[in-house]
Amino acid sequence: MRTFLRRLTSFDDDFDFRRVWRVGTTISVIVFLISGAGLLVRGLNLGLDFEGGTAWDVPTADLSVEEVRDVLRPEGQQGAKIQVIGRGDNRTVRVQSDAEDVETQNAVSEALAEAAGIDVVDISVSTVGPSWGEHLTDKAVRALIWFFIAVSLYIAWRLEWKMAVGALASVVHDLVICVGFYALFGIEVTPATVIAFLTILGYSLYDTIVVFDRMQDNAATVGATGKVTYSSIASLSLNQVLMRSLNATISSLLPVVAMLVVGSAIMGAVALQEFALALTVGIAVGAFSSILIAPPVTVWLKEREPRWAQVRARVSARGEVIPAAATAGPVPSAAAEVDADRPATPKRTVAPGPAPSGRPIPPRPRKKGKRR
């Protein structure tokens, strides 16, 4: 581990990512399938703004979830979602139900106020109609679709369409895993969560475009020799930008984790918790996909082009690179493969002169010239 970290921070550009791609892709596929299964089986725990209904915020310091459930049972709302927010004097019990008629809302408010020992006016009641929830859901889906279209067009125009496919694969990977995480653990999805999802997709695309830009530059310079495979160019590019991506990820995670800990555990701010949790999961998954998902997908597409397929066949025939499908032995690093194709610089040799005799060398006489 210490050797890996030393190589990672020394900028030697000799870590072969082709070894890691297969393992990373396997792990990613397993997590992707688990997240997708959780999303299909359990579904999302949509908040009030998406499903519609009524929410009651009851300020109370000692009313438990079981007691609230007993209060709601006579009103026919025993299936309502109950959540405790904050601590001490800032403790609030939030009850969410699909009740829409005014009579039921007033009856629940009076029952909760009597159980908590407060006035009815101290309970905050929020009502969202089902049409508004459907409208908000449609807006979120449309924003996501337009996001995918805009990103695809920009990357295809700025780089190339194969890199756009790799970037979209990375984005879909991040989105499904993050949404599946919320489905598996039953975490409520709110508008703040949707905003956080769109934000983490931007983080993931930033790292991916940085890697792709370096891959394109190296393909135009190192790849112009026709002696280096595209997978080696991608591995070399990742070595060159890896520390930059890791530094950006760590510097982004630190304030988000601090916001999650302080906002959720200490202050009990639900809005901060919903936003920071999605950002924490998304930034970590996005850093993973920008290194182990987007580049190998692009390499898989690029090495099916006639030019790169010929280069790979020629290099493999020379025995300098073992194909990825038959990695039975050690694979040379990308930097070593690139260095092997560089012409060797001839060393300058100095002809041996006469051995020194040990006597001092007299100074050369100066020529006398006419004074002007």
Side-chain angles (χ1 to χ4, degrees):
M1 186 64 181
R2 294 176 59 183
T3 304
F4 170 74
L5 293 176
R6 185 170 60 252
R7 292 174 58 191
L8 193 64
T9 57
S10 62
F11 299 96
D12 289 337
D13 299 342
D14 61 348
F15 187 78
D16 194 357
F17 280 92
R18 293 171 296 181
R19 299 173 181 269
V20 189
W21 281 343
R22 177 173 296 181
V23 178
T25 304
T26 303
I27 296 175
S28 174
V29 170
I30 294 174
V31 177
F32 185 90
L33 292 177
I34 294 175
S35 301
L39 183 61
L40 293 176
V41 175
R42 299 196 59 177
L44 288 175
N45 181 18
L46 297 177
L48 180 69
D49 295 302
F50 292 100
E51 289 188 331
T54 305
W56 294 265
D57 289 339
V58 184
T60 176
D62 53 2
L63 194 61
S64 64
V65 175
E66 291 76 13
E67 292 174 347
V68 173
R69 189 79 63 189
D70 294 337
V71 171
L72 296 176
R73 188 172 288 108
E75 308 298 335
Q77 302 297 322
Q78 61 274 9
K81 293 187 292 186
I82 304 173
Q83 183 181 10
V84 178
I85 304 170
R87 298 176 181 178
D89 296 337
N90 296 324
R91 186 176 184 271
T92 302
V93 175
R94 175 173 293 178
V95 179
Q96 296 183 9
S97 172
D98 56 358
E100 299 178 4
D101 57 294
V102 180
E103 295 181 359
T104 303
Q105 294 174 5
N106 293 335
V108 171
S109 298
E110 293 176 357
L112 291 174
E114 182 179 356
I118 59 177
D119 295 332
V120 178
V121 294
D122 294 332
I123 298 178
S124 177
V125 182
S126 303
T127 303
V128 177
S131 59
W132 169 253
E134 294 177 359
H135 177 73
L136 192 61
T137 304
D138 293 340
K139 287 289 185 180
V141 173
R142 289 182 183 179
L144 191 61
I145 293 175
W146 281 111
F147 176 83
F148 285 155
I149 293 175
V151 166
S152 303
L153 292 178
Y154 174 76
I155 297 179
W157 168 74
R158 175 63 179 80
L159 301 172
E160 59 175 301
W161 70 267
K162 293 182 177 65
M163 290 184 175
V165 173
L168 281 182
S170 173
V171 168
V172 172
H173 166 271
D174 299 344
L175 187 62
V176 171
I177 290 181
C178 291
V179 175
F181 175 83
Y182 270 69
L184 288 172
F185 291 94
I187 304 173
E188 186 178 15
V189 177
T190 63
T193 309
V194 176
I195 296 173
F197 283 161
L198 295 176
T199 304
I200 61 179
L201 296 182
Y203 274 105
S204 176
L205 282 173
Y206 169 77
D207 288 339
T208 303
I209 291 178
V210 168
V211 175
F212 282 169
D213 186 68
R214 185 55 60 92
M215 287 170 57
Q216 191 177 48
D217 291 343
N218 288 334
T221 54
V222 179
T225 61
K227 300 179 181 180
V228 184
T229 61
Y230 197 85
S231 61
S232 300
I233 293 174
S235 181
L236 179 63
S237 303
L238 281 171
N239 275 283
Q240 294 171 348
V241 302
L242 180 62
M243 287 307 302
R244 176 181 176 179
S245 298
L246 291 179
N247 290 334
T249 301
I250 293 173
S251 60
S252 301
L253 271 177
L254 288 178
V256 173
V257 172
M259 182 171 59
L260 178 62
V261 173
V262 175
S264 174
I266 299 178
M267 300 177 59
V270 179
L272 289 178
Q273 177 183 356
E274 296 167 353
F275 188 75
L277 180 61
L279 282 181
T280 303
V281 176
I283 291 176
V285 175
F288 177 89
S289 65
S290 63
I291 297 174
L292 300 178
I293 300 298
V297 170
T298 305
V299 168
W300 184 81
L301 293 173
K302 290 289 293 183
E303 291 201 337
R304 275 151 181 76
E305 294 180 358
R307 172 196 172 188
W308 294 109
Q310 293 175 4
V311 171
R312 185 172 184 82
R314 184 167 57 250
V315 173
S316 299
R318 293 202 306 263
E320 298 179 10
V321 178
I322 300 177
T327 54
V331 183
S333 66
E337 182 182 338
V338 174
D339 292 337
D341 293 320
R342 294 175 181 170
T345 304
K347 296 182 179 180
R348 297 179 60 184
T349 58
V350 180
S357 59
R359 293 178 296 179
I361 301 176
R364 296 179 61 183
R366 298 178 60 184
K367 293 183 179 181
K368 297 182 180 180
K370 296 181 180 181
R371 293 184 179 178
R372 294 183 180 179

